[in-house]
Amino acid sequence: MKRDTSWNPSEVPISALELNQKRVAIVGGTGGIGRGFAQVLTGRGASVQVVGRTFRDSGNPRIEFILANLESMREAERVGQSLPAEDLDMALLTTGIFAARTRQVTREGLERDLAVSFLSRLVILREIATRLGKNRPHATIKPRIFIWGYPGTGRSGSPGDLNAERSYSMWRVHMNTVVGNELLVLEGAKRYPGVEIFGMSPGILATNIRDNMRKTPGSGGLMEWFISKTNPSPEEYAKRLVPLLFSPDLSGHSGAIFDRKGNPCLPSPRLADARYAQAFLAASEALVTRALQR
């Protein structure tokens, strides 16, 4: 990622953040990065709704749980329609996996990583973006949506074979999710002027996101041990980034992307090509439509 040195948002120290009146939805909030943010946000007083498969925080009265399997576009559509978007200040889209060594296909005919890590987010974004924050009469800033991925890495993807039906490589497939999520930020900022959308790159964190790419899930071995010793935990990362999410300086910068430390970065050059961006998103929408018709 290349730093954008044209601006640098200021932040309020997390110890000074009072979030008692804030309502946040976290898609993917039951594990990994999303769960880390849920814990930090509620610790500062926010009310949080988490979407996921396994709820681990039933003892936290500030967290509400929505059960969903986001391999399914029908489930993603249901979640997007049922979220109380009008009352929310913010939505965080964090759910994701890595592609497996061999191609996995959902019941709706989608490559599994593409479905979970990108297409479900596309569906939820289009369901909530125009409704987000409409019932906040005294709000001083636009509602915000943060999308996690690896923006600004210079990838361009494979829009001609997004679903990996002609050939399969786990890295190529996962790069399609990286490109797709960056485009949700860049193009979403244009499509949805009533909200502000930002892209977030977490770098490498000590989570289980890599389980799917291993021969034996859960057997992280030496690599995962090393990652856990040399990289932040999800909660440590969240503590560093939560102040940025509420920085007033983000206003007017919809479409901006940030690295793991919260520094503004430049977008991937290839994705500035409007024709390419539209072709990629059109192919993505076509896959969603096909899945919803099954």
Side-chain angles (χ1 to χ4, degrees), residues 24-25 27 83 85 88-94 121-122 124-133 136 141-148 181 184-186 188-189 192-200 245 250 253-258:
V24 181
V27 179
L83 279 171
L88 296 175
D89 296 282
M90 187 177 294
L92 314 184
L93 307 186
T94 71
R121 299 171 176 203
L122 184 158
I124 292 171
L125 178 66
R126 71 186 187 186
E127 292 293 339
I128 69 172
T130 58
R131 298 188 290 120
L132 199 68
R136 306 178 312 145
I141 62 173
K142 290 181 179 180
R144 293 173 174 177
I145 299 173
F146 293 87
I147 299 175
W148 265 262
N181 282 305
L184 290 185
V185 175
L186 302 178
Y192 305 113
V195 300
E196 295 196 303
I197 304 177
F198 305 96
M200 311 295 287
L245 306 190
L250 266 58
H253 288 276
S254 187
I257 63 175
F258 300 91

Side-chain angles (χ1 to χ4, degrees), residues 25 59 93 136 154 220 231 264 270 293:
L93 307 186
R136 306 178 312 145
N231 292 278
R270 181 73 170 99
Q293 292 174 344

Side-chain angles (χ1 to χ4, degrees), residues 1 33 93-98 117-118 121 146-153 174-175 177-183 185 198-205 209 237 257-260:
M1 300 180 74
I33 291 172
L93 307 186
T94 71
T95 188
I97 60 174
F98 268 95
S117 306
F118 166 51
R121 299 171 176 203
F146 293 87
I147 299 175
W148 265 262
Y150 292 90
T153 56
H174 192 66
M175 287 308 106
T177 75
V178 169
V179 173
N181 282 305
E182 184 170 355
L183 284 173
V185 175
F198 305 96
M200 311 295 287
S201 178
I204 297 175
L205 300 179
I209 191 173
Y237 169 70
I257 63 175
F258 300 91
D259 66 17
R260 67 182 296 178

Side-chain angles (χ1 to χ4, degrees), residues 10-266:
S10 62
E11 302 172 11
V12 174
I14 192 165
S15 59
L17 277 179
E18 295 291 342
L19 304 179
N20 296 70
Q21 303 301 316
K22 300 299 182 182
R23 298 191 63 184
V24 181
I26 306 179
V27 179
T30 58
I33 291 172
R35 188 182 181 205
F37 274 91
Q39 292 171 342
V40 173
L41 288 166
T42 56
R44 303 309 306 170
S47 297
V48 175
Q49 286 188 308
V50 297
V51 179
R53 301 183 70 171
T54 305
F55 190 39
R56 300 174 175 88
D57 295 301
S58 57
N60 189 331
R62 292 188 176 274
I63 299 180
E64 297 180 27
F65 174 52
I66 298 175
L67 175 65
N69 175 4
L70 294 175
E71 293 181 8
S72 166
M73 297 303 102
R74 289 190 181 279
E75 281 280 271
E77 189 174 63
R78 176 186 65 80
V79 167
Q81 292 172 353
S82 63
L83 279 171
E86 292 84 355
D87 300 322
L88 296 175
D89 296 282
M90 187 177 294
L92 314 184
L93 307 186
T94 71
T95 188
I97 60 174
F98 268 95
R101 291 173 178 265
T102 57
R103 186 171 183 263
Q104 297 177 327
V105 182
T106 71
R107 292 182 178 181
E108 295 172 341
L110 298 174
E111 191 283 318
R112 185 166 173 255
D113 184 18
L114 189 76
V116 174
S117 306
F118 166 51
L119 295 180
S120 67
R121 299 171 176 203
L122 184 158
V123 172
I124 292 171
L125 178 66
R126 71 186 187 186
E127 292 293 339
I128 69 172
T130 58
R131 298 188 290 120
L132 199 68
K134 295 296 186 183
N135 291 346
R136 306 178 312 145
H138 304 297
T140 57
I141 62 173
K142 290 181 179 180
R144 293 173 174 177
I145 299 173
F146 293 87
I147 299 175
W148 265 262
Y150 292 90
T153 56
R155 305 292 181 175
S156 56
S158 307
D161 190 26
L162 275 184
N163 206 34
E165 294 172 3
R166 293 198 291 270
S167 64
Y168 183 82
S169 157
M170 69 177 185
W171 293 111
R172 180 172 59 82
V173 163
H174 192 66
M175 287 308 106
N176 281 334
T177 75
V178 169
V179 173
N181 282 305
E182 184 170 355
L183 284 173
L184 290 185
V185 175
L186 302 178
E187 294 300 307
K190 301 172 187 175
R191 292 185 182 187
Y192 305 113
V195 300
E196 295 196 303
I197 304 177
F198 305 96
M200 311 295 287
S201 178
I204 297 175
L205 300 179
T207 73
N208 64 354
I209 191 173
R210 291 166 292 277
D211 267 6
N212 201 45
M213 63 187 289
R214 301 187 193 115
K215 290 182 179 178
T216 305
S219 60
L222 183 61
M223 182 182 76
E224 291 303 317
W225 177 86
F226 181 77
I227 288 173
S228 71
K229 296 299 182 183
T230 57
N231 292 278
S233 69
E235 190 167 356
E236 290 168 337
Y237 169 70
K239 287 179 180 177
R240 171 66 187 86
L241 270 293
V242 161
L244 175 67
L245 306 190
F246 293 92
S247 172
D249 293 352
L250 266 58
S251 295
H253 288 276
S254 187
I257 63 175
F258 300 91
D259 66 17
R260 67 182 296 178
K261 295 183 178 179
N263 298 310
C265 292
L266 297 173

